[in-house]
């Protein structure tokens, strides 16, 4: 199972480099900024998952797991920011931005506490894992609320658009669907049933989001991105 640790580390680097490229080159494009922050949050979460895998002590596992909680909540917050920006074509209002980011701030405050991580597990010959605390259930509520709300806005938008914007929306929906499906299966459902051995599989599904968003950018001009 440690092979997923190596691929997660590589994927985190890919996300981080892509986010840095967008942040440095397209600062005036709000959609590019929203995507960059989503990629940066993904890099944070995927990299922290890789750190959890190789943790060999309780405190180290708590540290990396806390970073996972922060990164995971930021993925959801910036997902909402990205969807809002894409659908409306403008920056979210201050009120909406506060609503999107506030849960991540709250989760970050308690990310390293027993409310988020009640215990750590070190299976022999397998990646380290955690036993989620009570705050995990509130995180799940935020997760499902964000996913439902985001797709409730994206799918009608896809249906009423045409041309390249319709293709852009289709690939965004496809990318996030594949990513969130992996998270739900391996980082939500299985841990709730006490199965922690496959926790490091979920981050691999981020590759679907990266591939789909890249195709939307370069094939269907989601962003005015030029490498040179």
């Amino acid at each position: 199972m440690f092979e997923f640790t190596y691929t997660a580390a590589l994927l985190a680097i890919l996300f981080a480099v892509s986010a840095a490229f967008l942040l440095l080159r397209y600062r005036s494009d709000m959609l590019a900024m929203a995507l960059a922050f989503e990629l940066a949050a993904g890099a944070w979460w995927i990299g922290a998952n890789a750190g959890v895998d190789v943790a060999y002590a309780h405190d180290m596992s708590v540290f990396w797991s806390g970073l996972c909680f922060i990164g995971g909540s930021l993925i959801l917050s910036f997902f909402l920011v990205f969807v809002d920006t894409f659908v409306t074509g403008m920056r979210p209002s201050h009120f909406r931005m506060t609503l999107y980011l506030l849960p991540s701030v709250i989760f970050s405050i308690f990310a390293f506490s027993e409310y988020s991580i009640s215990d750590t597990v070190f299976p022999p010959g397998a990646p380290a894992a955690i036993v989620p605390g009570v705050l995990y259930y509130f995180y799940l509520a935020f997760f499902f609320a964000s996913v439902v709300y985001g797709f409730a806005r994206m799918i009608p938008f896809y249906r009423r658009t045409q041309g390249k914007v319709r293709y852009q929306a289709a690939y965004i929906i496809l990318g996030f669907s594949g990513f969130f499906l992996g998270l739900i299966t391996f980082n939500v459902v299985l841990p709730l049933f006490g199965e922690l051995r496959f926790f490091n599989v979920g981050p691999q599904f981020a590759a679907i989001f990266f591939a789909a968003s890249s195709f939307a950018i370069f094939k269907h001009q989601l962003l005015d991105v030029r490498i040179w």
Side-chain angles (χ1 to χ4, degrees):
M1 296 296 290
F2 282 102
E3 61 270 16
F4 290 124
T5 305
Y6 307 136
T7 56
L10 293 175
L11 197 57
I13 294 172
L14 181 62
F15 270 55
V17 170
S18 300
F21 171 76
L22 293 177
L23 286 170
L24 292 173
R25 193 157 183 179
Y26 296 93
R27 300 175 187 173
S28 61
D29 188 326
M30 184 59 200
L31 186 60
M33 292 297 94
L35 180 58
F37 282 114
E38 179 72 348
L39 290 170
W44 181 327
W45 179 75
I46 297 167
N49 268 277
V52 173
D53 289 350
V54 297
Y56 55 84
H58 174 78
D59 290 344
M60 182 182 294
S61 182
V62 169
F63 171 76
W64 287 111
S65 298
L67 292 181
C68 282
F69 272 101
I70 297 173
S73 60
L74 287 174
I75 286 175
L76 296 173
S77 291
F78 289 127
F79 164 67
L80 296 175
V81 172
F82 178 83
V83 168
D84 199 313
T85 305
F86 180 74
V87 170
T88 64
M90 62 183 69
R91 182 183 184 276
S93 66
H94 291 297
F95 176 73
R96 285 182 178 271
M97 191 73 79
T98 300
L99 286 180
Y100 297 156
L101 296 177
L102 183 59
S104 291
V105 174
I106 296 173
F107 287 126
S108 298
I109 294 173
F110 299 99
F112 303 97
S113 72
E114 62 182 9
Y115 300 109
S116 296
I117 306 157
S118 63
D119 199 3
T120 55
V121 181
F122 300 93
I130 66 163
V131 178
V134 66
L135 194 62
Y136 186 71
Y137 297 97
F138 292 94
Y139 174 81
L140 292 183
F142 178 47
F143 179 92
F144 286 111
S146 299
V147 172
V148 170
Y149 175 77
F151 283 105
R153 297 193 69 187
M154 282 297 302
I155 293 175
F157 178 78
Y158 164 78
R159 289 175 175 171
R160 67 174 180 263
T161 55
Q162 296 179 346
K164 70 177 184 180
V165 176
R166 186 180 179 90
Y167 284 109
Q168 293 169 2
Y171 281 102
I172 291 171
I173 292 172
L174 175 64
F176 277 117
S177 295
F179 184 22
F180 289 144
L181 179 62
L183 293 185
I184 291 171
T185 302
F186 295 100
N187 295 84
V188 176
V189 176
L190 291 182
L192 286 177
F193 287 95
E195 178 54 80
L196 304 174
R197 292 174 299 172
F198 304 102
F199 205 82
N200 63 346
V201 177
Q204 315 304 315
F205 284 80
I208 298 176
F209 164 70
F210 187 86
S213 59
S214 297
F215 197 81
I217 289 172
F218 293 108
K219 178 67 175 179
H220 299 291
Q221 294 81 50
L222 175 63
L223 305 175
D224 183 23
V225 172
R226 297 181 179 87
I227 301 297
W228 306 108

